[in-house]
Amino acid sequence: MVDIGFAQAGIFVVLATLCMAVFYVLRSHKRVLGWLFLAMVLCFIETLALTVAQSSTDYIAFIIILLGGAVFCINFSISALLNDNRQYYWVDAFNLSLLALSIAILYTPTPYILQNIPFQLACALGIWKSTYLLATVSEAKWQNLFLASSLFGIGAIFFIRASVYPFIFPINSKYYEVVNSAAANKLVVTILCFAMITVLTIVSRVITEVITEHRTNAERDLLTGLLNRAAFDKIASEESKSGDALILCDLDHFKQVNDQFGHLAGDEVLRNFASILQGTGYMAGRFGGEEFALLMPGHNGGNAAALAQNIRRLFIASVHKDIPDDHMVTASFGIAIFHKEETLTEAFRRADESLYHAKRTGRNRVEIAPPPRSPFSSQPVWSPLVGAAQPITHTGRPT
């Protein structure tokens, strides 16, 4: 047992060091890694005490407190990992009651085999609480299922100790006779394997989430959550094909919104428009400022124009915080249909020209670009809120 105990203590030191190292490098998931680190420290102290200390009543009570605390730390770590705010106070209260009962009966003539039952049950139920949280979370990640399985295994070992020990050991067995037995040693090795799997799975989950977060921040516009220009261009260049529709959108007179109502109100307008684009289910991006784009796979000009008109109407009907209801904020749209062998840059140019034409001919409207290498002669998809297009009589890029 001494050799196994020192090896077990060493492994807990390595796992605790791993938790601290990952936090130091990533500077993320402080609660997850902090509680897990504390659990490993408590397990290290408990294992070391179990290996070198004497089997006095006070010493056994100390072991119960350490291991019980480690179980609670694991629960806190799992809750933080899942960002789960569900509280099961009755479970925690019941576990604390079992731990208190375990310590109380240590100081009675009750045989150790029976004294051990409430303590092992408390640890089993505590670990299974984390298993339940993982099994019932809405996001079904493979790490959750794997982690739930390893935690269930740890809880099962505690339950086996509580339910099987009274049948395989004589009722009057002493503490050191039980913990130094071959059966106990096998369970120690098994629980150590499950503990390593649990910690490594949590750490891998943390690393995966941090990498995903950084990738998302690199690809997303922080204000609206839409793809940024670089990410949109990359995906569109890889996935767009002949027959797809590209819609460019630009909010009308947006600078006036910022100047008149403030940048916070302008940010709210941008988020509202982005929410409408996200609601379409198509790939959407923000190109900076008040410019947006939408890619519709396999849609002709009529379908794309109908969608753009719907977006335009929804945006007009939107309520914007800090902007009076009588101040209508509108958007203009330019559409280009990808043609065979046409590059993304060429499609963008045609969509931008149609958007430019929409701006010049009254704003708050939708325009479809003509095919490539054709004179710009597209007919607007008429908005019910505007009349006929007006001739262009001034220069400069409209807003």
Side-chain angles (χ1 to χ4, degrees):
M1 178 62 185
V2 173
D3 292 339
I4 293 177
F6 281 123
Q8 188 179 10
I11 290 174
F12 283 129
V13 169
V14 172
L15 295 177
T17 304
L18 175 64
C19 294
M20 286 301 296
V22 171
F23 172 71
Y24 181 79
V25 172
L26 301 181
R27 299 291 180 178
S28 180
H29 292 70
K30 178 179 179 180
R31 292 174 56 220
V32 176
L33 296 173
W35 285 116
L36 190 60
F37 168 78
L38 184 55
M40 294 302 101
V41 170
L42 292 176
C43 288
F44 162 72
I45 298 174
E46 180 266 342
T47 303
L48 199 60
L50 193 65
T51 303
V52 302
Q54 300 298 318
S55 57
S56 66
T57 300
D58 292 341
Y59 147 74
I60 298 175
F62 180 61
I63 296 294
I64 290 174
I65 294 172
L66 287 175
L67 197 52
V71 169
F72 275 95
C73 289
I74 291 174
N75 277 333
F76 294 146
S77 178
I78 295 298
S79 295
L81 179 69
L82 301 176
N83 197 22
D84 194 323
N85 295 320
R86 288 177 292 173
Q87 301 293 338
Y88 297 95
Y89 295 115
W90 66 271
V91 176
D92 296 335
F94 185 67
N95 284 348
L96 286 173
S97 299
L98 288 175
L99 292 173
L101 177 62
S102 299
I103 294 174
I105 62 178
L106 285 175
Y107 298 91
T108 69
T110 307
Y112 170 74
I113 290 296
L114 300 181
Q115 292 176 349
N116 190 49
I117 291 176
F119 167 60
Q120 300 295 337
L121 286 178
C123 292
L125 292 176
I127 292 295
W128 282 343
K129 175 188 172 184
S130 293
T131 303
Y132 175 79
L133 294 178
L134 287 161
T136 57
V137 74
S138 57
E139 49 179 337
K141 296 184 177 180
W142 69 266
Q143 294 104 323
N144 290 346
L145 301 177
F146 196 66
L147 188 55
S149 300
S150 64
L151 286 171
F152 182 84
I154 294 175
I157 293 175
F158 284 117
F159 185 77
I160 289 172
R161 287 172 173 172
S163 59
V164 176
Y165 274 14
F167 298 99
I168 64 175
F169 293 103
I171 193 67
N172 60 347
S173 296
K174 303 298 182 182
Y175 169 80
Y176 63 86
E177 295 174 341
V178 175
V179 298
N180 290 324
S181 66
N185 287 343
K186 290 178 181 179
L187 290 180
V188 166
V189 173
T190 305
I191 204 170
L192 183 59
C193 293
F194 279 126
M196 289 190 293
I197 292 173
T198 298
V199 173
L200 294 177
T201 304
I202 292 176
V203 170
S204 69
R205 165 86 181 260
V206 167
I207 294 173
T208 300
E209 288 185 355
V210 171
I211 292 174
T212 301
E213 182 180 351
H214 282 292
R215 181 184 295 121
T216 299
N217 290 338
E219 296 178 347
R220 296 283 171 176
D221 172 62
L222 296 181
L223 177 63
T224 63
L226 300 180
L227 294 172
N228 58 29
R229 176 65 186 266
F232 188 95
D233 284 356
K234 181 178 182 297
I235 297 174
S237 62
E238 294 173 352
E239 299 184 2
S240 60
K241 58 187 181 301
S242 178
D244 292 351
L246 175 66
I247 305 176
L248 296 186
C249 326
D250 191 276
L251 306 192
D252 300 324
H253 300 299
F254 184 71
K255 185 177 183 301
Q256 296 178 11
V257 173
N258 281 333
D259 293 342
Q260 187 173 351
F261 303 106
H263 287 277
L264 291 180
D267 290 347
E268 179 71 13
V269 170
L270 293 173
R271 283 191 289 264
N272 288 344
F273 188 77
S275 178
I276 295 173
L277 294 184
Q278 288 175 322
T280 65
Y282 296 109
M283 187 178 77
R286 181 187 177 203
F287 286 4
E290 64 274 24
E291 298 179 1
F292 298 83
L294 199 68
L295 183 65
M296 296 178 61
H299 285 272
N300 58 34
N303 291 340
L307 178 65
Q309 285 285 25
N310 189 48
I311 295 171
R312 185 186 64 80
R313 295 188 184 99
L314 288 173
F315 185 55
I316 291 173
S318 298
V319 176
H320 308 293
K321 186 179 179 182
D322 298 328
I323 296 180
D325 294 339
D326 59 353
H327 186 97
M328 185 172 65
V329 186
T330 62
S332 299
F333 302 81
I335 301 172
I337 306 300
F338 282 87
H339 284 255
K340 187 177 181 180
E341 298 181 356
E342 183 179 26
T343 65
L344 179 64
T345 300
E346 292 170 341
F348 264 120
R349 177 186 57 77
R350 292 193 300 111
D352 192 55
E353 288 176 354
S354 63
L355 175 61
Y356 183 82
H357 194 66
K359 290 284 191 179
R360 287 298 193 189
T361 53
R363 299 182 179 83
N364 189 28
R365 65 196 306 120
V366 178
E367 292 271 359
I368 304 178
R373 294 177 293 278
S374 297
F376 191 90
S377 58
S378 66
Q379 295 299 314
V381 177
W382 299 110
S383 160
L385 299 181
V386 297
Q390 301 298 317
I392 300 174
T393 58
H394 54 285
T395 59
R397 182 76 178 181
T399 62

